[in-house]
């Protein structure tokens, strides 16, 4: 925490505030994407070789009336990255229409 405060002091409060506002705006876009479609998030564990440990991944799933009813449209190791992957996929799909 002290390192973060020192960094903000070096950058200046306005710069830290700009970064925070930009990240909040990006998170708002991510949540709007989830809300605009019929999407949900699911978490899954992927085993790491024979270590007995596992990595956790987040899948963004769209729901459809036609089969397959559940479609994974984004997947990553963080929630933000998974939503970004799903929204990029939708953008590419819409660009082809």
């Amino acid at each position: 925490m002290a390192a973060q405060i020192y960094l903000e002091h070096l950058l200046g409060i306005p710069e830290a505030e700009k970064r925070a506002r930009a990240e909040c705006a990006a998170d708002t876009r991510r949540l709007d994407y989830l809300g605009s479609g019929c999407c949900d998030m699911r978490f899954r564990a992927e085993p790491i070789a024979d270590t007995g440990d596992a990595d956790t991944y987040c899948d963004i799933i769209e729901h459809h009336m036609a089969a397959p009813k559940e479609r994974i449209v984004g997947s990553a190791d963080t929630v933000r990255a998974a939503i970004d992957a799903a929204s990029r996929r939708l953008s590419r799909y819409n660009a082809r229409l």
Side-chain angles (χ1 to χ4, degrees):
M1 185 66 172
Q4 178 69 26
I5 293 169
Y6 180 69
L7 179 62
E8 289 177 4
H9 173 71
L10 289 177
L11 294 175
I13 297 298
E15 187 63 33
E17 186 175 331
K18 281 187 222 176
R19 282 193 332 252
R21 288 178 188 265
E23 190 59 40
C24 284
D27 283 346
T28 297
R29 285 191 299 276
R30 289 177 181 112
L31 291 173
D32 289 346
Y33 167 77
L34 287 179
S36 69
C38 191
C39 297
D40 67 40
M41 278 185 281
R42 292 191 189 150
F43 295 89
R44 61 184 164 83
E46 290 286 327
I48 302 173
D50 294 327
T51 63
D53 201 3
D55 284 333
T56 303
Y57 290 91
C58 176
D59 294 330
I60 306 300
I61 299 168
E62 278 185 343
H63 299 276
H64 296 267
M65 296 299 288
K69 296 193 180 286
E70 293 184 347
R71 302 172 193 176
I72 297 174
V73 294
S75 185
D77 57 347
T78 67
V79 172
R80 286 182 173 113
I83 297 170
D84 291 345
S87 63
R88 280 192 306 273
R89 182 174 185 255
L90 181 65
S91 296
R92 286 193 307 268
Y93 175 77
N94 287 338
R96 288 187 298 210
L97 294 181

